Amino acid sequence: MWRRANSKNIKIPLFNHVKSRYLSSIKEKSVINENLNITSPPPIQLPHEADVVVIGGGSAGCHTLYHLAKRGVKAILLERAKLTAGTTWHTAGLVWRLRPNDVDIQLLANSRDMLMQLEQETGLDPGWIQNGGIFIAHSKTRLDEYKRLATVGNALGIENYILTPEETQKVFPLLDPAAFVGALYSPGDGVVDPAMLCTALTRAASKYGAKAFENTPVNDLLITTTNKGKKVIGVSTPHGDIKCETVINATGVWGRDLVEKHGSFLPLIPMKHAYIVSETIPGVRGLPNLRDHDYSTYFRIQGDAICLGGYEPNPILLERVPKDFHFGLYDLDWSVFDTHLNGAIKLCPPFGNYGVKSTVCGPESFTPDHKPLMGPDNVIIGLFHNCGFNSAGMMFGGGCGEQIALWVINGKPDLAMFGFDLRRFTETQNRASQWISEKSHESYAKNYSMVFKYDQPLAGRNFQRDPLHEEMLTKNAFMEEKQGWERPGFFLTNQALVLPYDWYGSYGNKRHKDCAYERVLEGDLKYNTFSQHHNLIGEEALACRNNAVVFNMSYFCKLFLEGPEAEKAADWIFSGNTKRDIKKTVYTCALNNSGGVEADVTISRLASGTGAAHDPKFEGQGYYIVAGGASAYYTYSTIRDELRQQNFKATVRDVTADMGVISIQGPRSRDILQKIVHCELTDENIPPNSTLLTKCRDVNDSCCEYGVRLLRVSFVGELGYELHVPKDYCPAVYKSLMTVGAADDLRDAGYRALYALSSEKGYHLWSFDLRPDDTPLEAGLGFTCRKKGSYKGKEAIDQQRKEGLTKRLVYLTLDEQIPIWGLEGVYRNDEPVGFLRRAEYAYHLRKPLAQTYLQRPDNKIIDTDYIKQGNYEIDILGKRYKAQCYLRSPFDPEGKRVLGIYS
């Protein structure tokens, strides 16, 4: 039966693929008969124990087994059916090199490097074909995005070229140069055959002592309960139990099924994902693969045919995938897939002249942010995850397989994997099925959308609201979302509310018309010009520098560490001196064994109190810990896990939702705040970096006053204070503060101003210019690392002090009024030495400012002379601009303003 798909009359045969198998092989080699041959299998003899059990024989599992075995780990892999069964066998297998994230690029580079050396190591062809890749742009804005990718690619040594349509046609002659405006060409991209790769990986792993067992389903995890919580002690199979203390879940779309019965949940949802394979098209063989992000489609070259796939706005979401859906496929729903055809024909007219040989529609696992789920489980000790690859398991498999192996062996990966770490989500998010469905749908539908620094999701909004949420809305706050929380980005003249998710008009929903929130958001979607809200945010920032503002920082992470050995625990976990007087607040870091920063926090030593939210009652010692909100659960987990590993008699409690944080910052902050607090705000009574308990009077109700915890700290480099308030009192305290501050023009400010101000001061933002692959010494935070005593990571810090630094954070400013967003390449004396980790506009300095880590091309020690003697440039959209380099931010280098010294 033939179907007329569109005006070009594409001939498309329809046939039932259910329970059939189609292997997308570059060399057109079919292994269907081999894998579906029904014979009586020999008895399976499993080992009684192993160091690590990997569950799942797809790309993720095979890569993981290989990297574990190569490092001497006694590991086995258990696959329910045959290797590549599930989602791997029908994957498109594309490998791209450029992404809008440096960690992604490094992971992809590691995957590709492994592919290129695997044949030499194993004697087996892993099915790697380097035919290059092209990104197509249909607008100048999209081409600007590609120019941004090009600059970070150049900084990281990825060969790439920005091409005109005519130059692109020379690389891919079948394209119509009138159909697009330009392209990004990466010659090192390619494609890999999944069956050949998994065979090579398991063969190589076996040489190192690992074993892979097919037809061996894992019926259940064997779990015991200890004083630390649930712990894995093995796995159960039809062929016997295997004892082990580490299990890696690499089961793809079945990733949730194994763990939910044990109280652990993954934010993962299966969806149908498809591509079609054309008939033979003359002139196709050997051409590069192609991504047309604007039309949301890709071409993968398969011999003399083109495989066409993409990301449609209405993917079919699945509840569960049957356990026996090993090599199964679904019928292709053309009402879903049709969206890809017209664009493909416009771009490549010959494609419309040929029929479709086969269709491939299988299940794939997708996540709320289109990133994999990796790292330790939140509930079960010894269980790790390496799943949820969003149809990118082949290209990320090698890099992520290596990182999960290092995670198991060393307790941490060697790259900054927070964007992949399961702990970027909270346990509440992991259980919220509607939130997961909405977010995963939006991430799927927008997978090929342009990536802008300040873009905001429309799905899953208002998931968690702080005590001042309604107050923020009455002040016309434009709300942003971070880790499920709503927070004010900046303040408008008119309201722009987030509306219920409309699924982008899919599934019978109607698209919102004239949505004020989306109209405001559109003003942020820029590359080569400043945001439309640039001046408005600048007014908030300068009000903080010149007068006073209030920041609602209620979503910030708030923890209590308490117990008989809390002091001992704090002394080990944190690099700074936490054995301070009660009321003292210390800024410090929690490190990993390599000295990298897992968290940066303020920690205050407390006396046992009344039991109120802000004044807890406890036995032993107690500490109040505050950290950034975007990494709140990660920070909590880091501390909790270290308490468990070291057997400290102490606990950590997350009280983020129990209190709000009202921060008043600026030269007038002391005078304004003094009007509502009962304590004296003198330097003697509450010096910088200290805390005390006080009360706030309600100026709108003279009968009321509220207990609060007051901290004298600043995230912006000004005289300032934070009120940590039990949630029920937050609105009254906020209103009182704004009332008494009205005469001094006190105003609200949002996180966009907050981040610009903190960057201008030279303060850090964890996961951007301070990550687990950066040490405090490299980041200019040596003062947080005490030289006496012992703490986690101290040996690495001491070694760096002795040997010197090969990487060092510096600050760069531009005289030109041009926006920078991060990832721009940095050059010293015409040599690449890094890329921008963080970029903001310094409103007080009136110029763009950025942070970057310099590394010499020869990787030798970086000293002050090397930094000062260089001439620096920043590559912005393909053009280099002269930059001034500083060891510290040029704003208030002596730190007088935070002390209240403004003369």
Side-chain angles (χ1 to χ4, degrees):
M1 182 170 65
W2 297 85
R3 177 176 180 274
R4 182 166 296 181
N6 51 46
S7 60
K8 289 291 185 178
N9 297 337
I10 295 183
K11 296 178 179 180
I12 301 175
L14 300 180
F15 48 90
N16 186 1
H17 280 297
V18 177
K19 296 295 183 182
S20 70
R21 181 178 179 219
Y22 174 82
L23 177 65
S24 54
S25 170
I26 296 301
K27 297 187 176 181
E28 298 179 326
K29 295 172 67 177
S30 174
V31 295
I32 296 176
N33 292 334
E34 173 186 336
N35 282 327
L36 296 185
N37 185 29
I38 302 175
T39 60
S40 297
I44 295 175
Q45 299 293 325
L46 297 177
H48 297 297
E49 61 182 7
D51 293 338
V52 179
V53 171
V54 180
I55 307 176
S59 170
C62 291
H63 278 108
T64 300
L65 183 74
Y66 166 78
H67 282 291
L68 286 169
K70 192 172 183 178
R71 290 162 175 81
V73 176
K74 180 184 176 184
I76 64 171
L77 182 149
L78 305 180
E79 164 53 45
R80 176 188 293 154
K82 296 289 185 180
L83 294 181
T84 76
T87 61
T88 294
W89 75 270
H90 60 70
T91 183
L94 293 162
V95 179
W96 312 96
R97 302 184 76 192
L98 292 173
R99 302 268 289 197
N101 181 288
D102 68 291
V103 175
D104 286 18
I105 291 173
Q106 184 61 62
L107 290 168
L108 295 175
N110 291 349
S111 289
R112 180 177 175 275
D113 290 346
M114 189 205 66
L115 287 169
M116 297 182 73
Q117 58 85 31
L118 196 57
E119 183 171 7
Q120 181 179 358
E121 181 179 344
T122 65
L124 295 174
D125 180 2
W128 165 248
I129 295 178
Q130 182 175 312
N131 58 329
I134 299 173
F135 289 174
I136 295 293
H138 291 273
S139 68
K140 183 179 183 303
T141 305
R142 177 69 80 175
L143 195 59
D144 283 342
E145 180 185 40
Y146 293 164
K147 289 177 181 177
R148 292 194 69 234
L149 291 180
T151 178
V152 69
N154 292 332
L156 295 175
I158 307 296
E159 182 185 7
N160 69 88
Y161 306 93
I162 296 292
L163 304 180
T164 66
E166 291 72 24
E167 290 169 337
T168 309
Q169 190 187 38
K170 291 179 181 179
V171 181
F172 200 120
L174 301 184
L175 299 183
D176 178 5
F180 60 102
V181 301
L184 172 63
Y185 176 45
S186 175
D189 295 353
V191 67
V192 64
D193 179 279
M196 297 171 72
L197 173 60
C198 288
T199 298
L201 287 169
T202 51
R203 186 74 61 86
S206 68
K207 291 182 179 181
Y208 295 116
K211 294 183 179 180
F213 295 89
E214 297 182 316
N215 301 309
T216 307
V218 173
N219 294 333
D220 201 359
L221 301 174
L222 301 178
I223 304 292
T224 189
T225 301
T226 71
N227 59 354
K228 300 178 182 179
K230 295 181 180 180
K231 184 180 186 301
V232 67
I233 57 173
V235 298
S236 173
T237 82
H239 310 294
D241 296 346
I242 303 173
K243 294 181 180 180
C244 64
E245 293 188 351
T246 303
V247 172
I248 299 177
N249 173 19
T251 58
V253 293
W254 296 278
R256 302 173 300 176
D257 303 349
L258 192 66
V259 300
E260 285 184 351
K261 68 180 73 173
H262 299 291
S264 179
F265 297 85
L266 297 179
L268 178 153
I269 188 170
M271 299 185 197
K272 292 182 180 180
H273 192 55
Y275 61 87
I276 60 175
V277 185
S278 76
E279 296 174 339
T280 296
I281 300 177
V284 161
R285 183 176 291 272
L287 294 182
N289 304 308
L290 183 148
R291 256 184 175 176
D292 189 326
H293 290 98
D294 292 312
Y295 287 159
S296 196
T297 59
Y298 67 79
F299 284 180
R300 189 200 74 197
I301 305 304
Q302 180 175 305
D304 292 313
I306 291 177
C307 297
L308 168 68
Y311 292 83
E312 50 282 335
N314 57 336
I316 298 173
L317 281 63
L318 303 169
E319 286 292 329
R320 302 278 176 179
V321 178
K323 291 183 178 180
D324 61 353
F325 204 76
H326 303 146
F327 292 103
L329 291 174
Y330 303 103
D331 285 323
L332 184 67
D333 188 328
W334 289 99
S335 67
V336 174
F337 194 84
D338 262 350
T339 186
H340 304 303
L341 296 175
N342 288 334
I345 295 169
K346 288 178 183 177
L347 180 66
C348 181
F351 183 77
N353 299 327
Y354 297 87
V356 175
K357 181 170 60 177
S358 300
T359 69
V360 178
C361 181
E364 291 278 3
S365 56
F366 293 92
T367 64
D369 59 0
H370 218 75
K371 286 290 187 74
L373 304 175
M374 296 182 63
D377 187 79
N378 291 328
V379 175
I380 304 168
I381 299 170
L383 175 63
F384 289 76
H385 299 284
N386 190 24
C387 57
F389 275 86
N390 302 276
S391 194
M394 295 305 294
M395 69 176 181
F396 276 118
C400 288
E402 181 178 37
Q403 293 303 306
I404 199 69
L406 294 172
W407 225 321
V408 168
I409 296 167
N410 301 328
K412 71 172 194 67
D414 64 0
L415 294 179
M417 296 292 288
F418 176 68
F420 291 65
D421 196 310
L422 173 61
R423 293 168 294 179
R424 68 190 184 272
F425 300 115
T426 67
E427 291 187 54
T428 303
Q429 289 172 307
N430 294 345
R431 294 171 180 265
S433 57
Q434 180 66 19
W435 181 87
I436 294 167
S437 296
E438 286 189 14
K439 294 282 288 184
S440 298
H441 168 265
E442 183 179 43
S443 292
Y444 182 102
K446 290 186 65 177
N447 182 43
Y448 279 2
S449 296
M450 284 178 268
V451 177
F452 295 98
K453 179 176 179 178
Y454 296 116
D455 198 5
Q456 285 294 307
L458 303 179
R461 298 301 296 267
N462 292 310
F463 182 74
Q464 197 146 0
R465 292 170 285 191
D466 67 54
L468 291 174
H469 183 76
E470 295 302 322
E471 301 299 327
M472 297 296 99
L473 295 185
T474 63
K475 295 294 190 72
N476 298 330
F478 181 79
M479 303 302 289
E480 301 176 343
E481 183 270 338
K482 284 292 182 181
Q483 204 170 48
W485 288 88
E486 296 290 317
R487 70 181 195 184
F490 48 89
F491 291 82
L492 299 163
T493 303
N494 301 306
Q495 264 194 350
L497 299 178
V498 179
L499 299 179
Y501 188 49
D502 63 11
W503 299 85
Y504 289 86
S506 297
Y507 316 120
N509 294 281
K510 290 187 177 180
R511 195 77 171 91
H512 294 310
K513 294 183 179 179
D514 192 31
C515 176
Y517 187 89
E518 293 183 53
R519 278 191 280 110
V520 174
L521 187 60
E522 189 71 25
D524 270 332
L525 308 185
K526 313 289 182 182
Y527 290 123
N528 62 359
T529 62
F530 289 107
S531 162
Q532 289 180 6
H533 316 301
H534 178 75
N535 292 335
L536 183 153
I537 294 164
E539 292 174 4
E540 294 180 8
L542 291 176
C544 179
R545 292 281 184 243
N546 300 324
N547 189 54
V549 300
V550 168
F551 296 104
N552 174 19
M553 298 170 62
S554 297
Y555 101 110
F556 261 43
C557 174
K558 298 175 283 291
L559 310 171
F560 282 123
L561 174 64
E562 56 199 24
E565 293 186 336
E567 180 180 304
K568 184 178 179 181
D571 197 44
W572 168 255
I573 294 172
F574 299 108
S575 60
N577 179 14
T578 57
K579 293 181 178 178
R580 311 295 286 271
D581 294 337
I582 289 174
K583 297 184 179 181
K584 180 65 176 176
T585 299
V586 177
Y587 172 71
T588 186
C589 299
L591 310 182
N592 53 45
N593 288 328
S594 298
V597 179
E598 296 289 338
D600 68 323
V601 307
T602 60
I603 179 169
S604 307
R605 189 168 183 170
L606 307 181
S608 181
T610 62
H614 65 293
D615 185 26
K617 186 176 182 179
F618 48 82
E619 294 183 4
Q621 187 54 258
Y623 294 88
Y624 183 44
I625 301 169
V626 181
S631 56
Y633 190 74
Y634 185 91
T635 301
Y636 162 77
S637 300
T638 296
I639 297 171
R640 178 202 62 190
D641 293 348
E642 197 62 28
L643 294 177
R644 289 174 174 175
Q645 291 172 18
Q646 301 299 325
N647 292 311
F648 288 124
K649 296 177 181 177
T651 59
V652 60
R653 290 190 294 122
D654 187 344
V655 294
T656 298
D658 298 333
M659 287 189 289
V661 179
I662 303 169
S663 176
I664 179 170
Q665 302 286 325
R668 297 285 296 160
S669 61
R670 174 185 283 154
D671 297 336
I672 296 171
L673 183 59
Q674 187 66 76
K675 297 175 183 179
I676 66 166
V677 295
H678 286 199
C679 64
E680 292 294 326
L681 297 181
T682 61
D683 289 342
E684 292 75 22
N685 193 43
I686 183 165
N689 299 314
S690 64
T691 181
L692 56 76
L693 296 172
T694 188
K695 292 183 178 181
C696 289
R697 66 185 183 92
D698 189 339
V699 300
N700 301 304
D701 185 348
S702 59
C703 297
C704 295
E705 59 183 21
Y706 310 102
V708 301
R709 176 168 297 280
L710 178 65
L711 278 74
R712 184 175 170 185
V713 294
S714 178
F715 191 56
V716 296
E718 300 292 335
L719 172 67
Y721 305 85
E722 291 178 2
L723 297 170
H724 292 237
V725 187
K727 61 182 181 180
D728 293 340
Y729 306 152
C730 279
V733 173
Y734 169 78
K735 290 177 182 177
S736 292
L737 185 59
M738 300 307 293
T739 297
V740 299
D744 291 294
D745 295 323
L746 180 66
R747 61 175 294 170
D748 296 285
Y751 274 79
R752 292 279 288 278
L754 182 75
Y755 285 164
L757 292 164
S758 72
S759 179
E760 182 175 52
K761 172 57 183 170
Y763 290 161
H764 294 283
L765 183 60
W766 192 86
S767 85
F768 287 89
D769 58 322
L770 188 64
R771 308 190 306 199
D773 57 340
D774 306 317
T775 72
L777 302 186
E778 294 166 343
L781 295 175
F783 66 90
T784 66
C785 297
R786 64 188 190 273
K787 295 183 179 181
K788 295 183 180 180
S790 178
Y791 56 85
K792 186 170 184 177
K794 186 174 185 294
E795 290 184 3
I797 297 299
D798 289 345
Q799 185 175 357
Q800 274 199 335
R801 289 190 195 275
K802 180 180 178 181
E803 297 178 354
L805 304 176
T806 58
K807 182 178 79 172
R808 189 163 175 177
L809 182 70
V810 298
Y811 300 83
L812 299 172
T813 63
L814 291 170
D815 290 330
E816 288 84 354
Q817 295 298 310
I818 185 168
I820 47 177
W821 310 104
L823 289 183
E824 290 86 353
V826 177
Y827 293 80
R828 177 190 180 275
N829 297 346
D830 207 37
E831 289 185 314
V833 289
F835 58 91
L836 301 189
R837 284 280 199 89
R838 186 181 176 194
E840 299 284 353
Y841 190 83
Y843 287 96
H844 184 86
L845 297 174
R846 299 181 181 178
K847 58 182 63 179
L849 181 145
Q851 287 97 318
T852 185
Y853 283 86
L854 297 183
Q855 288 184 278
R856 293 174 56 142
D858 58 12
N859 207 36
K860 291 183 178 179
I861 299 297
I862 289 182
D863 56 22
T864 302
D865 288 341
Y866 176 85
I867 295 172
K868 290 183 176 180
Q869 292 171 5
N871 295 312
Y872 294 88
E873 294 176 305
I874 299 176
D875 183 355
I876 303 172
L877 299 180
K879 181 180 178 180
R880 293 188 193 178
Y881 294 83
K882 185 178 180 180
Q884 300 298 320
C885 183
Y886 303 87
L887 294 170
R888 299 179 62 182
S889 169
F891 172 80
D892 189 25
E894 296 180 359
K896 291 182 177 181
R897 298 171 72 101
V898 77
L899 302 176
I901 302 173
Y902 288 93
S903 57

